[in-house]
Amino acid sequence: MKTLSAPPIIEHAWNCGCAAVHFGNEADVARWRPCSQHSNLFFTRRNGDPNVTEAKTPIREPRPALTQAIATVLLFALTVGGVGASSLWRRARQAESEALIDSLTGLCNRRGWDKRAAAETRRLQREPAKMSVFIMDVDDLKTINDRDGHAAGDAILEKVASVIHLVKRDNDLAARLGGDEFGLLAVDTGTEDADKIAWRLAEAFASATLSISIGRADVTPEGGIIGAVERAD
């Protein structure tokens, strides 16, 4: 193997778009997929700093790149800002993570929901699993916005998110799907447990004096998560 210096790798991310940037631990490796042309690049650590090496044979399949904006930040920081490599990797990961979060509620946004749902769908294809989808809509949010102002409407959305966060379990996915619509994906959940979650949601919303419409559907192998969302909505 030969060792490549950091600037060529940043140029690689800029010119190719696959942005082969990660820390070398298993969690990061699982998320990184370079393009097919450069799938022989991977990272290790040397003296505590990220170190990129080039294998003789490809080691990973392609996946969609980090956004060009992230690659631009990396290139600029190395060539102009003089930022250390470790700091660059952290900032790139933070930017990618923040892009999946709804800024108002702190829950996942639609992009974050789609990314996790895709991962759960792949898991469902590999092994049988029981899941349920809950779709929740805030009743009369437009009326509240028109009557009391958008600040009042935003306060209600934040309150709804807090209730969902309290009810959901650690492995469940909660997201604001857009506007007044929220989603909860309950993983590894049979019908009986899903009924309990639905009851807990309804009780928690009522205790918080929130008027919320709740739809629920079980995930099936045929329809998948997308089909369950459509049925629950």
Side-chain angles (χ1 to χ4, degrees):
M1 294 183 181
K2 61 181 180 180
T3 299
L4 307 179
S5 59
I9 291 307
I10 300 304
E11 291 174 4
H12 162 79
W14 169 258
N15 294 326
C16 174
C18 80
V21 177
H22 68 88
F23 285 103
N25 62 50
E26 287 303 319
D28 293 314
V29 170
R31 284 194 289 266
W32 175 62
R33 296 291 187 277
C35 69
S36 57
Q37 183 180 359
H38 299 97
S39 58
N40 57 337
L41 295 176
F42 67 100
F43 272 79
T44 57
R45 278 192 176 276
R46 176 172 295 178
N47 297 327
D49 292 322
N51 178 67
V52 66
T53 54
E54 184 177 21
K56 293 182 179 179
T57 58
I59 60 173
R60 297 207 171 268
E61 297 175 355
R63 74 147 209 183
L66 292 175
T67 63
Q68 187 180 42
I70 294 177
T72 302
V73 171
L74 293 173
L75 178 63
F76 175 81
L78 264 185
T79 58
V80 180
V83 180
S86 296
S87 177
L88 284 176
W89 313 147
R90 285 194 298 271
R91 292 183 188 182
R93 291 188 63 204
Q94 181 180 359
E96 189 177 24
S97 176
E98 289 175 351
L100 306 177
I101 300 299
D102 177 63
S103 58
L104 176 65
T105 64
L107 300 180
C108 284
N109 57 21
R110 186 61 186 245
R111 183 182 174 190
W113 170 275
D114 289 343
K115 183 176 181 179
R116 171 72 183 280
E120 292 296 339
T121 297
R122 290 192 294 271
R123 182 167 75 93
L124 190 63
Q125 292 169 347
R126 293 193 305 268
E127 58 188 37
K130 295 180 179 180
M131 306 180 194
S132 287
V133 168
F134 300 83
I135 299 298
M136 294 151 282
D137 295 295
V138 181
D139 296 335
D140 302 320
L141 182 63
K142 184 179 184 304
T143 301
I144 295 171
N145 284 332
D146 294 341
R147 184 188 65 214
D148 303 325
H150 285 277
D154 287 349
I156 289 177
L157 292 173
E158 291 176 313
K159 195 174 181 181
V160 171
S162 296
V163 169
I164 295 173
H165 183 74
L166 288 173
V167 171
K168 87 176 195 71
R169 303 163 304 177
D170 289 343
N171 291 333
D172 295 338
L173 169 64
R176 181 187 177 198
L177 301 180
D180 62 355
E181 187 176 62
F182 292 81
L184 176 65
L185 174 62
V187 299
D188 300 321
T189 301
T191 301
E192 184 177 344
D193 287 335
D195 288 340
K196 292 178 181 178
I197 293 174
W199 181 84
R200 289 173 57 201
L201 283 169
E203 185 179 58
F205 286 134
S207 297
T209 64
L210 291 167
S211 180
I212 309 293
S213 298
I214 305 174
R216 180 200 135 201
D218 294 333
V219 177
T220 64
E222 297 78 18
I225 295 174
I226 293 177
V229 170
E230 293 174 349
R231 297 197 310 276
D233 194 1

